[in-house]
Amino acid sequence: MYRIQITSAAVQEQSFSLYEMNLRLTLYYNQLSRCYQFDLFDLNKNQFITQLKGLSVSSPSLLEFNLPFVLVLKDKSELGIGSISQTDFANRFALLIMTREEYRETIRTRDTT
């Protein structure tokens, strides 16, 4: 499991190598829905994996893609709701990249406690 460094900036971009892939992640704050969306770009293939995909609390993004990982927006405050303001992103949330099995294990552990 990896934690992506995030801020409350309206646009954030970072590149990293993970699971034998070179990726560029761009996060965008959507003022209308008060949430963040993202683009994920495969630098090796020079093509987008997805564009303007939404992030929801505790819901895995990219599950429908044939990738070895998912992105999960974790609410550190345990409120379990989406952002209320742009500053919530860095203050309340952690953006995690984890394998599908790590995500499933997290769900199993949460359901049994």
Side-chain angles (χ1 to χ4, degrees):
M1 181 178 330
Y2 299 91
R3 186 176 184 158
I4 302 296
Q5 295 297 319
I6 55 175
T7 68
S8 291
V11 178
Q12 305 170 51
E13 184 175 281
Q14 56 187 291
S15 297
F16 47 88
S17 295
L18 199 57
Y19 305 109
E20 299 181 13
M21 298 176 76
N22 292 312
L23 304 166
R24 183 176 63 226
L25 176 69
T26 307
L27 297 165
Y28 305 94
Y29 183 70
N30 182 321
Q31 293 181 355
L32 295 176
S33 61
R34 295 185 181 164
C35 68
Y36 273 83
Q37 296 171 291
F38 69 94
D39 293 346
L40 189 61
F41 189 82
D42 185 326
L43 293 166
N44 293 337
K45 295 180 180 178
N46 198 32
Q47 67 183 26
F48 281 98
I49 294 170
T50 191
Q51 291 182 278
L52 295 177
K53 180 95 170 132
L55 289 170
S56 298
V57 175
S58 300
S59 179
S61 288
L62 305 172
L63 197 58
E64 69 274 21
F65 294 89
N66 187 24
L67 297 169
F69 60 88
V70 295
L71 268 68
V72 178
L73 189 61
K74 179 182 181 215
D75 182 359
K76 298 182 292 187
S77 72
E78 301 296 326
L79 289 175
I81 60 172
S83 61
I84 297 167
S85 69
Q86 187 172 340
T87 58
D88 276 354
F89 199 61
N91 297 331
R92 277 190 40 222
F93 300 111
L95 184 56
L96 307 173
I97 294 182
M98 59 181 72
T99 65
R100 293 166 180 264
E101 185 52 40
E102 286 172 324
Y103 176 73
R104 288 183 195 107
E105 184 59 33
T106 300
I107 297 301
R108 282 192 290 269
T109 303
R110 192 178 338 164
D111 286 345
T112 59
T113 57

